[in-house]
Amino acid sequence: MIDQADINIGFTLQHANYAFFAIVGVWVYDFALTFNEEVEFMLNARWQITTLLYAICRYLPFAMVVIDIYRIVQPGLSVKSCITCHSLIGFIGVIVLCCAEPLFIMRLWALLGRRRKTLVIALCNYVIFLIPMLLSVAAFNSSTTALPSPIPQLASCYINRDGRILIVAYMILIVGELEILSFMVYRSWTLYREIGNDLPLVRILLRHNVSYFACGLFFSVVAPAAIFTLAGSYGDVASDLQVVMHSILVTRMHRELWYTAYRPQATSAKNVSIPLATLPAPSSGCR
């Protein structure tokens, strides 16, 4: 006989599954909306470090989505398989976030004038934040245990782990993103005062610096808040949502700036002295 506690766990797992499918819907919807732009960008952009980071952030979440769907639609998974799926999802999420942040940092470096000293400081700062964050994630994964689901028809198992360890990693990430956002807002404001808002490239930069960075920071705050206040399954949902939204935001930012700088209608931006080091230059076939 199933007691009330098991029923509550079952409802939590069911709602978490619904939320996972909603996240999948958001990711697929964004892909469908930007498919034509995606094809043009991938065919015409020159491959370099930033393009590789873009590709990882854009396409690696596909593996996370597939693993999540497999985990949900296969109610007969063993506890070991359940742990493996969650570990893979966490590993993919860390890779996506570690690739997204350098794109934000390189945008900041470009706006600050592409000085070598600025780049060295930014990279050192990134490593200083990255190491303790990875250590926290590793400690979090080592504390993971899987328990069989009381209602196997809804889920094979659920994860029980100490979310307080992961909150440390999120706090480090939030501090780093706040630092980037502060410099970006300051530089955007000075750029706006110097050039104005009439040129397309300036409008794109201002929108990205204010909207995209702020949205990314918002989802970075939502994830630890959900882990701290809600059941473990909802914390996993919030973590997946953060990874997917970071992927969408950083790739849209990178792609739209590339369009603004290199499309024919953006030729008026050529007179603007704004470094474009974060952009993948067009290939020889791009007009």
Side-chain angles (χ1 to χ4, degrees):
M1 183 176 180
I2 301 177
D3 59 20
Q4 186 60 42
D6 291 340
I7 293 175
N8 292 337
I9 292 175
F11 276 124
T12 300
L13 294 175
Q14 186 179 41
H15 295 158
N17 289 344
Y18 292 156
F20 279 123
F21 278 112
I23 293 172
V24 172
V26 170
W27 187 77
V28 172
Y29 181 67
D30 177 76
F31 229 107
L33 284 179
T34 60
F35 180 76
N36 292 336
E37 298 176 356
E38 185 82 16
V39 172
E40 182 181 352
F41 174 81
M42 296 304 296
L43 289 178
N44 294 323
R46 182 190 304 167
W47 280 90
Q48 52 189 14
I49 294 178
T50 52
T51 315
L52 178 60
L53 294 174
Y54 170 92
I56 293 173
C57 292
R58 184 61 170 168
Y59 302 113
L60 194 56
F62 178 75
M64 185 181 72
V65 167
V66 170
I67 295 172
D68 258 333
I69 294 177
Y70 172 76
R71 175 184 59 83
I72 293 172
V73 301
Q74 289 288 335
L77 288 178
S78 64
V79 172
K80 183 178 180 180
S81 299
C82 188
I83 293 179
T84 301
C85 289
H86 280 278
S87 298
L88 287 174
I89 292 171
F91 182 67
I92 292 171
V94 169
I95 293 177
V96 171
L97 292 178
C98 289
C99 291
E101 295 305 317
L103 286 176
F104 287 131
I105 292 174
M106 293 188 73
R107 171 68 64 83
L108 176 61
W109 171 61
L111 288 179
L112 292 178
R114 298 178 60 187
R115 300 182 183 89
R116 184 181 298 272
K117 181 180 179 180
T118 305
L119 178 61
V120 172
I121 294 174
L123 292 178
C124 291
N125 196 36
Y126 173 71
V127 173
I128 290 173
F129 280 100
L130 181 64
I131 292 176
M133 188 171 68
L134 292 180
L135 291 176
S136 300
V137 172
F140 174 72
N141 287 332
S142 64
S143 68
T144 298
T145 57
L147 301 174
S149 171
I151 306 178
Q153 293 80 4
L154 295 178
S156 300
C157 58
Y158 62 97
I159 296 298
N160 183 26
R161 48 193 171 187
D162 189 359
R164 293 172 297 179
I165 302 176
L166 189 60
I167 290 177
V168 175
Y170 275 116
M171 291 299 104
I172 296 172
L173 177 64
I174 290 171
V175 171
E177 290 185 346
L178 275 173
E179 182 180 6
I180 296 174
L181 180 62
S182 299
F183 279 108
M184 291 295 288
V185 170
Y186 170 76
R187 179 53 181 161
S188 298
W189 175 246
T190 58
L191 185 64
Y192 175 79
R193 294 184 62 183
E194 293 172 1
I195 301 176
N197 194 37
D198 296 330
L199 296 177
L201 185 57
V202 178
R203 290 198 300 269
I204 291 292
L205 287 170
L206 292 174
R207 187 173 66 190
H208 290 168
N209 294 347
V210 175
S211 301
Y212 286 1
F213 280 81
C215 287
L217 179 62
F218 171 77
F219 286 105
S220 294
V221 173
V222 168
I227 292 172
F228 185 75
T229 59
L230 302 177
S233 297
Y234 295 131
D236 293 337
V237 171
S239 296
D240 279 10
L241 177 62
Q242 186 216 13
V243 172
V244 169
M245 293 308 300
H246 264 70
S247 169
I248 292 174
L249 291 170
V250 75
T251 53
R252 275 180 173 264
M253 176 192 74
H254 194 69
R255 190 175 57 248
E256 288 181 14
L257 185 60
W258 181 85
Y259 282 139
T260 305
Y262 292 122
R263 268 186 166 177
Q265 58 265 37
T267 52
S268 61
K270 294 180 181 178
N271 297 324
V272 184
S273 179
I274 301 176
L276 296 177
T278 60
L279 297 176
S283 62
S284 57
C286 180
R287 295 181 178 180

